[in-house]
Amino acid sequence: MYEIWLTLNILFELGLQYLPAVISTAVLWLVLMGVAATRPNARWKKALLPAVVMTLIGTAITFFITPAMTKSSFAEMGYWVDWMNLFFYSAAFGAVAGTITWPIAAGLGCRCKA
């Protein structure tokens, strides 16, 4: 239980450290949503496919590059909390990639097969 509490404290401190990036990403998303919402040819439902694909790509890339970025490796991850942290960290970055992609694809009138 201690490891989970420590992880939550670290994530909170990282969130405070990168608060300008978090706020600017949220503002970017709101601007993209506003621009896409004003487009007459916005196709929100069809834009979900590129957003999901980008989420999966972002998650996979983040999953594989994060250990090297932190000067670690998969071999050093021997505890389930380490794997859980890596997975959720990667999923969060993938979700950000997907949420940024969705209004862009919708605003461009995505012609995807969905």
Side-chain angles (χ1 to χ4, degrees):
M1 189 67 182
Y2 169 76
E3 291 87 359
I4 296 172
W5 182 250
L6 178 63
T7 299
L8 291 174
N9 283 328
I10 291 170
L11 288 175
F12 177 76
E13 292 296 326
L14 284 173
L16 290 178
Q17 180 180 352
Y18 294 108
L19 194 58
V22 171
I23 292 172
S24 62
T25 303
V27 169
L28 172 66
W29 180 74
L30 288 172
V31 168
L32 289 172
M33 290 295 283
V35 169
T38 60
R39 300 276 173 125
N41 65 339
R43 295 191 170 100
W44 294 98
K45 188 176 179 180
K46 290 188 177 194
L48 282 175
L49 179 62
V52 169
V53 169
M54 190 57 69
T55 299
L56 295 174
I57 291 170
T59 299
I61 289 172
T62 306
F63 185 85
F64 289 110
I65 67 169
T66 298
M69 289 176 54
T70 59
K71 295 182 176 46
S72 182
S73 69
F74 287 118
E76 295 178 14
M77 297 177 53
Y79 193 49
W80 69 270
V81 175
D82 299 332
W83 288 100
M84 181 187 71
N85 287 337
L86 178 61
F87 174 75
F88 284 120
Y89 176 79
S90 302
F93 271 86
V96 169
T99 55
I100 296 295
T101 302
W102 188 43
I104 293 171
L108 292 175
C110 182
R111 291 163 181 53
C112 304
K113 297 177 183 177

